Amino acid sequence: MPANSTPPATKKKGRRARLVVIVLVLALVAGVGYGAYWGVSTVRASLPQTTGTIKVPGLDGRVEVKRDSYGVPQIYANTDQDLFRAQGYVQAQDRFWEMDVRRHMTSGRLSEMFGKGQVETDEFLRTLGWRQVAQDEYDDKLSDETKKNLQSYADGVNDYLEGRDGKDISVEYAALNFTNDYKPAKWTPVDSVAWLKAMAWDLRSNMQDEIDRSLLTSRMDEKQIEDLYPSYPYDRNQPIVSEGAVDPLAEEYDPKAEPGDASDDGTGTGTGTGTGTGTGTGTGSGIDTGTGGTGGTGTGGAVTDGLESQLDALSTTLDEIPALLGPSGSGIGSNSWVVSGEYTTTGNPLLANDPHLAPQLPSVWYQMGLHCRSFTKDCQYDVAGYTFAGTPGVIIGHNKDIAWGMTNLGADVTDLYLEKVNGDTYQYGNEQRKFTTRQETIKIAGAKSQTITVRSTGHGPVVSDRDAELRRVGDKAPVNNAAPDRGEGYAVSLQWTALEPGRSMDAVFELNKAKDFAEFRRAAERFEVPSQNLVYADAKGNIGYQAPGLIPIRAKGDGSLPAPGWNPDYRWEGFIPFDELPYEENPKRGYIVTANQAVIDKDDYPYPLTEDWGYGARSQRINDLIKSKIKDGGKISTDDMRTMQTDNRSEIATQLMPHLLKIDVSDPAIREAQKLLEGWDYTQEPDSAAAAYFNAVWRNVLKLAFGNKLPKEMRVKGECLSVRPADSTGPADDLAELVRECGQRSADSAQPDGGDRWFEITRKILKDPDNEWWQSPKTRTEKATKTRDELLLRALTDARWELTAKLGKDVSTWSWGRLHQLNLENQTLGTEGPGIVRTLLNRGPWNLGGGEAAVNATGWNAAGGYEIMWVPSMRMVVNVGDWDKSRWINLTGASGHAYSPNYTDQTEKWAKGELIDWSFSSRAVEESTGDTLTLAP
């Protein structure tokens, strides 16, 4: 095999990287206590070959892999099977460590690589059963063509692995082998399918909200909980679809129909007794304890102690699951919009997309082009965009006819059920049903294997079995006379659409080949999990939108609270038919915006999609930016789309700032900080002192008004407060009445997180200066607050001293970027390895602008601090029809090798909001090519 070759422009950079790798190897050797000498040739063995010719016996013909200076590959082949085989080979060259770790996670086998510290995670993942569902999909659901493509991809990965030891694949294997005699196994088609389950898990929508609403009942009444979950502001923040309705006769969604009242809101009603202290009708905070449909959802009833303990432990378990896309599903969002050629400088549609996911190194995305040299029945693809390493095809991008983008739809596709357990049975209606069980053996590096029993009900796996405390909860869980007999207590099961075998992998290949809106919609019909907003544009000038996915129809209840599993009234009756899901084609307004806001006004649609949308701060800002640009005949350019993507405006600042500036501040130090806000334009640039101070004030407003009143299960782990006993949000008159409670949740999923739900909560009370939420208790140093202005003054004060501690006394030296930093961490050894290894594998920090619920969504959790939790993981602006004028960027780079020049070579431009050229035509690709590798039969 020839030595690795680097494009001329990057040779110097590559030489510096090779020096880093020598240091890395020595550090790894020293860090694990071994003194063996590694030669430079051993270390460099994992650098992929990018020039010359490599024999790949399974190919039918020669395949060319052309890489530009960023290492982005464009693959040219004569058959589909060669194309996907080469895709597998090339992705394994750059990203196999990432692929291998990911497949171990999706199958609940992390302990095989990393030892006993991962056993609890594996137990939970085995309980969910992602791998088995993926196997069922492959065996029973996917088309023959999809299976052929998956097998070709797997063959390509295995071609690369053939004859290579771990150290020849990636330096992380060399480090791992000091403590674990691990050998990478062959790739299988099901390994690729299982990744979509992990993607669906992180985009599962409202499970955490469902848990949190239940936990809140320990401290708050129904009205207070309603305050914290306000209804979506349809009057101010435009939903995605504003035209069309379901035709009840044709049972189809008609985008040209006049919206009208929905015939059935689908939520169900009833009367009954809550398991807490109150009774009533309608929906509320209690858990229905009736059987066989005799009861409704109680009002004002607190969640049972048993369920509270179950949900608290489940929430803790969720925190521990590795988030491949985002922190426990929180904050994950995306922007995507498309503008008709009527309003663009190009005369053709422009399409933008930037999914907001957890920052990772390497990025979750892998840029790539897949090109047939000529179109035949054996070669049907000419597509480029963002792929997932480990999965064939392109997930987001364009072909020669159409472009598409995705954002998380946010539909409620999960339900938690409280199950009544008695021995090896659970109650359902008037009968006792046996649990379905299976045995799972977990292999553990350096230890004996462990076997667990997974139980499932008709709803799904019993997720509460994975915690010893939860198994004891049933012994003391209180129930009232309306509930089933105690038996052996309660358990919590999970029903989730992703545990239904589906056809999403078929959808990927169909999207890649689609030529028009009709074919795009046919592909979308198979994109069942995760449920995504799909935006569309084509070279003929059309734009469109489709809401796809398996979205359950509930016989009763709205999915906002855990349901009583023993009551058959709360079953899923099926899924919303695809033909009745909202879509648009060439809407009259000339543009479509999706940014996790409501899909359609609930009064215009017969099916409930969720109670937990994003609240539309980002989407409305994008709508407003487009409207302002096209008014009076204005046109939008490609660069305008990029500028919109990096818009930093704080929407909560527009609401809160007028009140903050009116506060009479007597303390000179606090007044000095308050002056920073005078004349501030609400933009959160990295060098802005005003943005730093405002966000600190906002964080303290949230803490004082809401955070300190939440139950400990929702507050940041380790942060302790003196609070009144449960059932009060008001101030304590006597400090002696207070008890000490410490938070229990990780910083990236604690509340209040400061997202646009909290914007809406705060907006609603700002005009009510005496609202009870403005009350906060006295402390040893601070007086109690009773009004809005008293609390705002305290927040101004607390923020001043917080930033003095973090950034210094001189306010002129403050900047938002110094608080709001991005650190990129290698997802395994970068978080768990020795300190020097983490230093060598990780990158950063970068001081960034943007913020939570800004269009430039560099998200942070206000409960936990200012560090960035999620980011625009990539950005693209597609110039539809004139494809070579499209632009794109990745968060990191093409390579997963820490010593490659393409490891983080796009990050600096990404941080500045810049995009790079995106070549598509064979001419443009040839002009941008730095390296060419030939794969020959």
Side-chain angles (χ1 to χ4, degrees), residues 765-777:
I765 65 172
L766 274 172
K767 294 182 180 179
D768 181 5
D770 298 315
N771 190 285
E772 68 171 351
W773 290 106
W774 298 122
Q775 300 173 11
S776 64

PDB file of all heavy atoms in Angstrom, residues 765-777:
ATOM      1  N   ILE A 765     -46.328  36.977  32.470  1.00  0.00           N
ATOM      2  CA  ILE A 765     -46.432  37.587  33.800  1.00  0.00           C
ATOM      3  C   ILE A 765     -45.774  38.962  33.886  1.00  0.00           C
ATOM      4  O   ILE A 765     -45.900  39.638  34.907  1.00  0.00           O
ATOM      5  CB  ILE A 765     -45.846  36.664  34.887  1.00  0.00           C
ATOM      6  CG1 ILE A 765     -44.347  36.467  34.712  1.00  0.00           C
ATOM      7  CG2 ILE A 765     -46.568  35.323  34.898  1.00  0.00           C
ATOM      8  CD1 ILE A 765     -43.680  35.727  35.872  1.00  0.00           C
ATOM      9  N   LEU A 766     -45.095  39.400  32.827  1.00  0.00           N
ATOM     10  CA  LEU A 766     -44.395  40.685  32.899  1.00  0.00           C
ATOM     11  C   LEU A 766     -45.347  41.854  33.135  1.00  0.00           C
ATOM     12  O   LEU A 766     -44.979  42.842  33.780  1.00  0.00           O
ATOM     13  CB  LEU A 766     -43.584  40.922  31.619  1.00  0.00           C
ATOM     14  CG  LEU A 766     -42.176  40.324  31.595  1.00  0.00           C
ATOM     15  CD1 LEU A 766     -41.552  40.464  30.221  1.00  0.00           C
ATOM     16  CD2 LEU A 766     -41.277  40.964  32.654  1.00  0.00           C
ATOM     17  N   LYS A 767     -46.569  41.759  32.622  1.00  0.00           N
ATOM     18  CA  LYS A 767     -47.527  42.855  32.794  1.00  0.00           C
ATOM     19  C   LYS A 767     -48.289  42.764  34.110  1.00  0.00           C
ATOM     20  O   LYS A 767     -49.185  43.568  34.365  1.00  0.00           O
ATOM     21  CB  LYS A 767     -48.499  42.875  31.610  1.00  0.00           C
ATOM     22  CG  LYS A 767     -47.832  43.219  30.291  1.00  0.00           C
ATOM     23  CD  LYS A 767     -48.841  43.264  29.146  1.00  0.00           C
ATOM     24  CE  LYS A 767     -48.157  43.617  27.825  1.00  0.00           C
ATOM     25  NZ  LYS A 767     -49.129  43.638  26.694  1.00  0.00           N
ATOM     26  N   ASP A 768     -47.937  41.787  34.910  1.00  0.00           N
ATOM     27  CA  ASP A 768     -48.593  41.588  36.206  1.00  0.00           C
ATOM     28  C   ASP A 768     -47.531  41.704  37.297  1.00  0.00           C
ATOM     29  O   ASP A 768     -46.970  40.705  37.739  1.00  0.00           O
ATOM     30  CB  ASP A 768     -49.262  40.209  36.239  1.00  0.00           C
ATOM     31  CG  ASP A 768     -49.984  39.928  37.545  1.00  0.00           C
ATOM     32  OD1 ASP A 768     -50.060  40.842  38.400  1.00  0.00           O
ATOM     33  OD2 ASP A 768     -50.465  38.789  37.725  1.00  0.00           O
ATOM     34  N   PRO A 769     -47.237  42.935  37.757  1.00  0.00           N
ATOM     35  CA  PRO A 769     -46.102  43.125  38.689  1.00  0.00           C
ATOM     36  C   PRO A 769     -46.286  42.472  40.049  1.00  0.00           C
ATOM     37  O   PRO A 769     -45.311  42.319  40.787  1.00  0.00           O
ATOM     38  CB  PRO A 769     -46.008  44.646  38.826  1.00  0.00           C
ATOM     39  CG  PRO A 769     -47.348  45.162  38.433  1.00  0.00           C
ATOM     40  CD  PRO A 769     -47.880  44.216  37.408  1.00  0.00           C
ATOM     41  N   ASP A 770     -47.501  42.047  40.379  1.00  0.00           N
ATOM     42  CA  ASP A 770     -47.749  41.422  41.677  1.00  0.00           C
ATOM     43  C   ASP A 770     -47.994  39.921  41.565  1.00  0.00           C
ATOM     44  O   ASP A 770     -48.442  39.291  42.531  1.00  0.00           O
ATOM     45  CB  ASP A 770     -48.950  42.087  42.358  1.00  0.00           C
ATOM     46  CG  ASP A 770     -48.694  43.562  42.633  1.00  0.00           C
ATOM     47  OD1 ASP A 770     -47.593  43.871  43.119  1.00  0.00           O
ATOM     48  OD2 ASP A 770     -49.572  44.385  42.335  1.00  0.00           O
ATOM     49  N   ASN A 771     -47.711  39.357  40.402  1.00  0.00           N
ATOM     50  CA  ASN A 771     -47.926  37.930  40.218  1.00  0.00           C
ATOM     51  C   ASN A 771     -47.118  37.139  41.247  1.00  0.00           C
ATOM     52  O   ASN A 771     -46.000  37.508  41.600  1.00  0.00           O
ATOM     53  CB  ASN A 771     -47.502  37.533  38.801  1.00  0.00           C
ATOM     54  CG  ASN A 771     -47.916  36.134  38.433  1.00  0.00           C
ATOM     55  OD1 ASN A 771     -47.321  35.164  38.889  1.00  0.00           O
ATOM     56  ND2 ASN A 771     -48.932  36.023  37.602  1.00  0.00           N
ATOM     57  N   GLU A 772     -47.669  36.012  41.703  1.00  0.00           N
ATOM     58  CA  GLU A 772     -47.010  35.240  42.757  1.00  0.00           C
ATOM     59  C   GLU A 772     -45.639  34.716  42.343  1.00  0.00           C
ATOM     60  O   GLU A 772     -44.783  34.458  43.197  1.00  0.00           O
ATOM     61  CB  GLU A 772     -47.888  34.069  43.202  1.00  0.00           C
ATOM     62  CG  GLU A 772     -48.059  32.993  42.143  1.00  0.00           C
ATOM     63  CD  GLU A 772     -48.760  31.741  42.678  1.00  0.00           C
ATOM     64  OE1 GLU A 772     -48.961  31.649  43.901  1.00  0.00           O
ATOM     65  OE2 GLU A 772     -49.107  30.879  41.856  1.00  0.00           O
ATOM     66  N   TRP A 773     -45.405  34.557  41.032  1.00  0.00           N
ATOM     67  CA  TRP A 773     -44.109  34.049  40.606  1.00  0.00           C
ATOM     68  C   TRP A 773     -42.986  35.044  40.878  1.00  0.00           C
ATOM     69  O   TRP A 773     -41.815  34.648  40.934  1.00  0.00           O
ATOM     70  CB  TRP A 773     -44.131  33.678  39.124  1.00  0.00           C
ATOM     71  CG  TRP A 773     -44.962  32.467  38.838  1.00  0.00           C
ATOM     72  CD1 TRP A 773     -46.184  32.428  38.245  1.00  0.00           C
ATOM     73  CD2 TRP A 773     -44.629  31.104  39.149  1.00  0.00           C
ATOM     74  NE1 TRP A 773     -46.651  31.143  38.154  1.00  0.00           N
ATOM     75  CE2 TRP A 773     -45.715  30.300  38.698  1.00  0.00           C
ATOM     76  CE3 TRP A 773     -43.542  30.487  39.756  1.00  0.00           C
ATOM     77  CZ2 TRP A 773     -45.732  28.918  38.843  1.00  0.00           C
ATOM     78  CZ3 TRP A 773     -43.549  29.108  39.893  1.00  0.00           C
ATOM     79  CH2 TRP A 773     -44.636  28.339  39.450  1.00  0.00           C
ATOM     80  N   TRP A 774     -43.297  36.316  41.045  1.00  0.00           N
ATOM     81  CA  TRP A 774     -42.255  37.304  41.343  1.00  0.00           C
ATOM     82  C   TRP A 774     -41.804  37.231  42.803  1.00  0.00           C
ATOM     83  O   TRP A 774     -40.837  37.883  43.184  1.00  0.00           O
ATOM     84  CB  TRP A 774     -42.751  38.717  41.034  1.00  0.00           C
ATOM     85  CG  TRP A 774     -43.102  38.944  39.601  1.00  0.00           C
ATOM     86  CD1 TRP A 774     -44.301  39.338  39.093  1.00  0.00           C
ATOM     87  CD2 TRP A 774     -42.236  38.807  38.464  1.00  0.00           C
ATOM     88  NE1 TRP A 774     -44.258  39.450  37.724  1.00  0.00           N
ATOM     89  CE2 TRP A 774     -42.998  39.131  37.308  1.00  0.00           C
ATOM     90  CE3 TRP A 774     -40.897  38.437  38.306  1.00  0.00           C
ATOM     91  CZ2 TRP A 774     -42.458  39.106  36.025  1.00  0.00           C
ATOM     92  CZ3 TRP A 774     -40.361  38.415  37.022  1.00  0.00           C
ATOM     93  CH2 TRP A 774     -41.135  38.737  35.898  1.00  0.00           C
ATOM     94  N   GLN A 775     -42.491  36.447  43.607  1.00  0.00           N
ATOM     95  CA  GLN A 775     -42.098  36.318  45.011  1.00  0.00           C
ATOM     96  C   GLN A 775     -40.898  35.378  45.136  1.00  0.00           C
ATOM     97  O   GLN A 775     -40.869  34.318  44.510  1.00  0.00           O
ATOM     98  CB  GLN A 775     -43.262  35.770  45.830  1.00  0.00           C
ATOM     99  CG  GLN A 775     -44.511  36.643  45.791  1.00  0.00           C
ATOM    100  CD  GLN A 775     -45.687  35.979  46.479  1.00  0.00           C
ATOM    101  OE1 GLN A 775     -45.537  34.970  47.158  1.00  0.00           O
ATOM    102  NE2 GLN A 775     -46.878  36.543  46.289  1.00  0.00           N
ATOM    103  N   SER A 776     -39.939  35.779  45.936  1.00  0.00           N
ATOM    104  CA  SER A 776     -38.810  34.889  46.242  1.00  0.00           C
ATOM    105  C   SER A 776     -38.456  35.058  47.710  1.00  0.00           C
ATOM    106  O   SER A 776     -38.584  36.149  48.269  1.00  0.00           O
ATOM    107  CB  SER A 776     -37.597  35.200  45.358  1.00  0.00           C
ATOM    108  OG  SER A 776     -37.111  36.500  45.615  1.00  0.00           O
ATOM    109  N   PRO A 777     -38.026  34.008  48.377  1.00  0.00           N
ATOM    110  CA  PRO A 777     -37.810  34.073  49.828  1.00  0.00           C
ATOM    111  C   PRO A 777     -36.562  34.869  50.197  1.00  0.00           C
ATOM    112  O   PRO A 777     -35.646  35.033  49.395  1.00  0.00           O
ATOM    113  CB  PRO A 777     -37.655  32.600  50.210  1.00  0.00           C
ATOM    114  CG  PRO A 777     -37.160  31.940  48.973  1.00  0.00           C
ATOM    115  CD  PRO A 777     -37.798  32.664  47.834  1.00  0.00           C
TER     116      PRO A 777
END
